[in-house]
Amino acid sequence: MAKVPSAVVAAGGLVGGYGVARWTKKRQLGGAVLAVAGAAAARQWRDRAGGPAACALTAAYVAAFAGSHPLAKKVGAWPAVFGVAGAVGLASWAVADRRG
């Protein structure tokens, strides 16, 4: 069975976490989706690119989540989420997925 690329897991976690929080009106549930996807992506990053790269990509994932909030005030919620998800997905692909 083919593995899902870590870029898809990370970007999907950001988009899915926001979507779940918005549609269920339960921020904790969205946070759980965000955390589970982040942990799954971090494990893939560590396995594919090593510990230092996994730490850097995890920091980027958390920074994207935090940065989407002020960005949403300027461009709107969904554009902000898609923008940061794309950035994290691209970084993940470049560092971990491109090699394999």
Side-chain angles (χ1 to χ4, degrees):
M1 181 174 198
K3 285 189 173 184
V4 176
S6 62
V8 173
V9 174
L14 289 161
V15 172
Y18 175 69
V20 167
R22 182 171 177 135
W23 290 317
T24 64
K25 300 194 184 330
K26 297 190 184 310
R27 294 178 69 175
Q28 298 86 351
L29 191 55
V33 170
L34 181 80
V36 168
R43 182 175 178 145
Q44 287 183 317
W45 294 328
R46 186 192 70 222
D47 292 346
R48 295 178 184 173
C55 287
L57 287 168
T58 299
Y61 184 81
V62 172
F65 168 70
S68 69
H69 292 82
L71 183 59
K73 293 178 189 217
K74 296 183 185 289
V75 300
W78 279 112
V81 170
F82 284 131
V84 300
V88 168
L90 182 61
S92 178
W93 175 81
V95 173
D97 295 334
R98 178 174 50 146
R99 301 173 194 212

